[in-house]
Amino acid sequence: MPQTASATTAKKPSRIQVRNRRKILDAALDVFSQHGFRGATLDQIAEAAGLSKPNVLYYFDGKEAIHVELLNALMAEWLAPLAEMNPQGEPLDELMAYIARKIEMSHTYPRESRLFANEIIQGAPRIGPHLDQRLKPLFDEKCALIQNWMDTGRLAVMHPGHLIFSIWAITQHYADFDAQVQVLMPGTEAAQNSAREHVERMFRTLLTV
Amino acid sequence: MPQTASATTAKKPSRIQVRNRRKILDAALDVFSQHGFRGATLDQIAEAAGLSKPNVLYYFDGKEAIHVELLNALMAEWLAPLAEMNPQGEPLDELMAYIARKIEMSHTYPRESRLFANEIIQGAPRIGPHLDQRLKPLFDEKCALIQNWMDTGRLAVMHPGHLIFSIWAITQHYADFDAQVQVLMPGTEAAQNSAREHVERMFRTLLTV
DNA sequence: TCGTGGCTTGACCAAATGGTAAAAAACATC
DNA sequence: GATGTTTTTTACCATTTGGTCAAGCCACGA
């Protein structure tokens, strides 16, 4: 059996293991992000991965284990941009850089965005603790930082928490509601660019003192 | 059999029919909005409605029929506020009134918001045509209206389509991502009010010439 | 070349799921 | 209270689903 990523029993995984686990996770990202956890089936994941169902279960302990692994990987990447906001930097530049990265991520990783959206919409049954323990402290820290920037007159004053919510809401909207966006504003690259420009201009206007 | 809302064969439904159909739709809204279409089960819906599964199927032709009926009812209510934006009114007032109504609806009908979000995230497989035929014309019309307002200098200039997307994204965020909001900003009524104030102030700032 | 251990598969299983048929119960109307 | 109609339930069914198991395959080092 392949070592199931136990911290203690950690032998280096074979090339086949790396390849197949990657294939499974990629396929599962497709399926979970489109149908949610309960709506996704192992058969779909197996077929999308080009493996048999028992073979999928050879690499992961079950449907939930795949989902958990995806969410864990997601959270790490998802939090990084926020964490990188630098207290020493120029406030407006830092926030605009964060927004730009968020937009880019939603564009580059729409499946991850939808996976997260699905999980939250369903009440965060599997990622709840993660939110509490990892996201909350970071959120609070960055709220305090932004509040400080505002207090010292270097940013327009508003509620930092709701500001962050607004950034998340708008940037993720283009990934999560892509089906709607495509209907209402057809056209691929031009629309994408105009979206980026709109969002950046909007927050720059809002945040500039 | 109860008449399945056929336009031609329309006898008035009995009181029991009205009551039970309502119960089923309410229960289904709970279940669908939480798990998505594929993740929801008839047993869950039946139990939530306090009826047996065959009894549920006595009132609706199947799982999909319930879902379709919910989405149809949803679209009608969902589009109303946008449709009510009055070309003769004062531009800023009209837009702010629309935003206020959107916020209120997200607060009052979070299940509907999540039902819609689930459907769109999954690629709008069942509501796609509806979007094309009903939402798109309305969206285009209101975009033109807003564009006109901006052209005549009565609103700050920006892309009308993306403006609407921003409004939708932010207002629905508080309903769809409630699980996350509750973790990051605990507290019920105060948070709700501060959210409303933040969003309204934000768009007012943005739209004022 | 031959084991040997990691990898893969076909066959299978129990539970869940969407749905059906027909009888029983409840109801309305005369 | 008899009678026809609507509503509800009991007992099913076929398929799907998450998961198991033992046997077979295959790569690779000795």
Side-chain angles (χ1 to χ4, degrees), chain B residues 22 42 46 52 55-56 58 61 69-70 85 99 103 118 140 147-148 160 167-168 190 193 195 207:
Chain B
R22 221 192 288 279
L42 278 176
S52 68
N55 207 3
V56 168
Y58 171 73
D61 281 342
E69 183 131 337
L70 280 176
M85 213 159 57
I99 290 166
I103 293 174
N118 262 309
D140 288 342
Q147 184 68 60
N148 183 52
I167 294 171
W168 288 349
N193 280 337
L207 289 167

Side-chain angles (χ1 to χ4, degrees), chain B residues 3 17 127 191:
Chain B
Q3 38 277 14
Q17 270 177 52
I127 215 184

Side-chain angles (χ1 to χ4, degrees), chain B residues 56-202:
Chain B
V56 168
L57 289 168
Y58 171 73
Y59 289 102
F60 288 92
D61 281 342
K63 185 181 173 183
E64 185 146 357
I66 305 177
H67 196 249
V68 166
E69 183 131 337
L70 280 176
L71 284 181
N72 283 346
L74 170 67
M75 283 303 279
E77 274 192 64
W78 226 234
L79 264 55
L82 186 57
E84 282 169 24
M85 213 159 57
N86 182 6
Q88 262 69 49
E90 175 63 26
L92 189 57
D93 292 344
E94 290 296 324
L95 265 169
M96 291 311 297
Y98 173 61
I99 290 166
R101 262 200 85 178
K102 260 287 179 184
I103 293 174
E104 198 197 320
M105 284 185 67
S106 283
H107 184 220
T108 313
Y109 306 107
R111 297 179 305 171
E112 280 82 351
S113 184
R114 282 193 279 266
L115 179 75
F116 185 75
N118 262 309
E119 171 71 7
I120 300 296
I121 287 180
Q122 293 172 13
R126 277 164 286 274
I127 215 184
H130 225 147
L131 291 183
D132 240 330
Q133 291 157 26
R134 307 232 169 238
L135 181 55
K136 180 78 158 56
L138 186 62
F139 178 81
D140 288 342
E141 177 201 326
K142 295 308 175 183
C143 277
L145 172 62
I146 293 172
Q147 184 68 60
N148 183 52
W149 282 342
M150 290 174 178
D151 287 345
T152 53
R154 310 211 281 163
L155 279 180
V157 173
M158 68 191 70
H159 192 300
H162 290 302
L163 168 63
I164 293 181
F165 286 163
S166 300
I167 294 171
W168 288 349
I170 293 184
T171 55
Q172 287 170 206
H173 184 82
Y174 288 93
D176 301 344
F177 287 71
D178 182 61
Q180 183 178 243
V181 171
Q182 288 305 321
V183 167
L184 298 182
M185 283 184 52
T188 53
E189 280 310 305
Q192 191 59 46
N193 280 337
S194 74
R196 208 189 58 231
E197 281 165 29
H198 171 265
V199 175
E200 291 189 353
R201 193 168 320 179
M202 181 175 155

Side-chain angles (χ1 to χ4, degrees), chain A residues 4-48:
Chain A
T4 324
S6 157
T8 55
T9 317
K11 294 172 184 173
K12 72 171 81 175
S14 77
R15 256 157 288 143
I16 293 179
Q17 270 178 52
V18 171
R19 171 171 52 88
N20 281 353
R21 284 180 65 96
R22 220 192 289 277
K23 283 205 289 185
I24 292 168
L25 287 174
D26 188 69
L29 183 54
D30 268 355
V31 178
F32 280 135
S33 67
Q34 196 165 78
H35 300 293
F37 179 73
R38 294 208 42 188
T41 74
L42 276 176
D43 295 88
Q44 282 177 291
I45 295 171
E47 188 184 337

Side-chain angles (χ1 to χ4, degrees), chain A residues 174-186:
Chain A
Y174 288 93
D176 300 344
F177 287 71
D178 182 61
Q180 182 178 243
V181 171
Q182 288 306 319
V183 168
L184 298 181
M185 284 185 50

